[in-house]
Amino acid sequence: MAERMVSDVLIKPDVALEMTLRPSLFSEFTGQAKVKERLEITVAAAKQRGEAIDHVLLSGPPGLGKTTLANIIAKAMGANLKNTSGPTIEKAGDLAGLLTNLEEGDVLFIDEIHRLQPAIEEYLYPAMEDFKLDIIIDQGPNARSVRLNLPRFTLVGATTRSGLLSAPLLTRFPVRERLDYYHAEQLEQIVIRSSRLLNIEVDPSGAREIARRSRGTPRIANNLLRRVRDFAQVRGDGRIAAAIADQALAMLEIDENGLDEMDKRILEAVIVKFSGGPVGVGSLAVAVGEEPDTLEEVYEPYLIMEGYLKRTPQGRVATELTYKKLGMKPGRDGQTSLL
């Protein structure tokens, strides 16, 4: 359970919990200061002109607040928000149904937009540019194209892998923002805010301990807060102090750098099974028993940011920091030995 906690939290979030803790206003949203400021200006300008906001693309690792920002944008515009995701739109008729049910100024949020099928993307282009939808009626010799007028709407797309978006789709987003990992101080504010909403008694030191082990990700911080609360309730007096948080996180096998069991398995596999690399993501995924997409979207970004892995044209390579972390040293003949 512990070794899959990060991927479970980021890929299959607790929707009910997120709705409870999710900020609804720009003023309540912590972190991403530059992104937030630019979006606030865009929204304010659109409201002054009485227009729908330009289409927005939000990119970045999972759990950083892309869906939350989409909700905030819709509320700030006083518009309805319609939610869907790339994998659930299987045919053009699904997209046509979504678009024709939109009202003037509505916000359509498509999560994982990079997973849209190419044929469905083609239907989006005229809808985004000209607010028109071309649909084909009948088949064979009787087939004919009908153009429908759409109300002016805003498409907000979210993606963890913007590099997979086609150039024609990418260029149709006038507003493109990337969300980065949070600093520990920002996560500490998020933990304290969430503890108030969940009626959890937490010391500043306890919130700090949870924040610095949350991989720079608010969704993980909120999940760890609940797990530490359970530990404090059973093994302590219910109050989360630094010592209790440390014991709880150690039980969950999350170390002082926020690395869990799967992170360490990935790093060990690169060093022990592949002599420090380079190794392709497919081979590495097989070695640790995880999906390649999960490695690339969930684990790798943090490991690369923290300096444990390097991504090269030949594959993934372990850094000197990884050897120190695992108490190993590279051998001259490519073999790895313990320090």
Side-chain angles (χ1 to χ4, degrees), residues 54-75:
D54 288 332
H55 304 304
V56 179
L57 179 67
L58 302 172
S59 62
L64 299 188
K66 296 185 290 294
T67 303
T68 298
L69 281 174
N71 280 273
I72 291 174
I73 289 171
K75 183 169 183 178

Side-chain angles (χ1 to χ4, degrees), residues 136-157:
I136 304 297
I137 298 177
D138 291 334
Q139 295 179 346
N142 296 323
R144 64 186 188 277
S145 176
V146 176
R147 171 161 284 198
L148 301 177
N149 292 321
L150 299 172
R152 297 189 69 87
F153 70 96
T154 297
L155 175 62
V156 178

Side-chain angles (χ1 to χ4, degrees), residues 191-259:
V191 169
I192 291 173
R193 176 182 179 275
S194 297
S195 66
R196 285 200 308 268
L197 294 174
L198 296 174
N199 294 317
I200 300 173
E201 194 174 0
V202 59
D203 290 343
S205 60
R208 194 173 306 117
E209 192 67 27
I210 293 172
R212 74 185 188 92
R213 301 197 196 190
S214 297
R215 303 171 66 92
T217 307
R219 188 181 295 166
I220 291 179
N222 286 329
N223 186 72
L224 291 182
L225 174 64
R226 290 196 303 159
R227 302 292 296 275
V228 174
R229 171 195 62 184
D230 295 343
F231 184 91
Q233 182 179 326
V234 175
R235 299 284 179 88
D237 58 3
R239 185 180 183 85
I240 299 177
I244 284 289
D246 180 64
Q247 294 173 37
L249 295 169
M251 183 193 70
L252 295 171
E253 299 184 63
I254 297 174
D255 69 12
E256 64 277 4
N257 301 117
L259 302 188

